[in-house]
Amino acid sequence: MAPEQEFDQAFESALQDLRNLVRFLDGVSEAQARWKPPDGEWSVLEGLEHILLTDAFFQTTMIEALRGAEASGRWDNTAPGAFKMTLEALRRREQGHVDAPAQLHPKGRSDFRPMIAELLPAREATREALLRWRGRDLSRLVVPSPRYGALNAYERIAYSGIHDALHHEQMGRVTRQAGFPAK
């Protein structure tokens, strides 16, 4: 597959997961989003803020990796035998529960509807920021993750959507808990 096709396919996958999340969030009221589960799990609002923080972090990380490869001329930093989870395994949550790094924990934003409105533009902004590398083969450029292993750039793009899907699943669990408010 041509680099442009891989790039577009990875972003389309990530955008589809995000669109699914937005459809779900559109059916959640402000009061429901703010409801804090008694078990300590994040509220829908907190999960949404975390997703936006993670998306900004993802964009920065990707740009740093791509600029580093460009500066060094090293577009292949794969290591034989390096730990790497498949995207399918990540989607199935085979990694188990993963605590988010402190810098990606919700900070207390409370603007629910405006945050929903930021989701797709933020992902599109990431895509736009990475477009200059669209024609470059990124299949051997590892953007490492201590939690998920040696994912290449395309896999990291696709994982941004999987991350959204996993939190969509978590938010769905919250809505099914006893005490969750009716609209």
Side-chain angles (χ1 to χ4, degrees), residues 42 50 53 99-107 147:
W42 283 344
H50 165 72
L53 290 168
D99 288 326
Q103 76 266 26
L104 301 179
H105 282 223
K107 310 290 186 248
R147 291 170 171 84

Side-chain angles (χ1 to χ4, degrees), residues 53-68:
L53 290 168
T54 301
D55 213 45
F57 177 77
F58 164 69
Q59 183 185 69
T60 300
T61 302
M62 286 295 293
I63 290 171
E64 286 173 1
L66 292 163
R67 285 184 179 154

Side-chain angles (χ1 to χ4, degrees), residues 8-20:
D8 293 345
Q9 185 177 359
F11 264 107
E12 183 50 40
S13 174
L15 283 165
Q16 188 55 52
D17 283 322
L18 188 57
R19 287 183 203 108
N20 291 339

Side-chain angles (χ1 to χ4, degrees), residues 102-116:
Q103 76 266 26
L104 301 179
H105 282 223
K107 310 290 186 248
R109 280 186 65 180
S110 61
D111 50 339
F112 179 57
R113 293 287 166 206
M115 280 195 288
I116 295 171

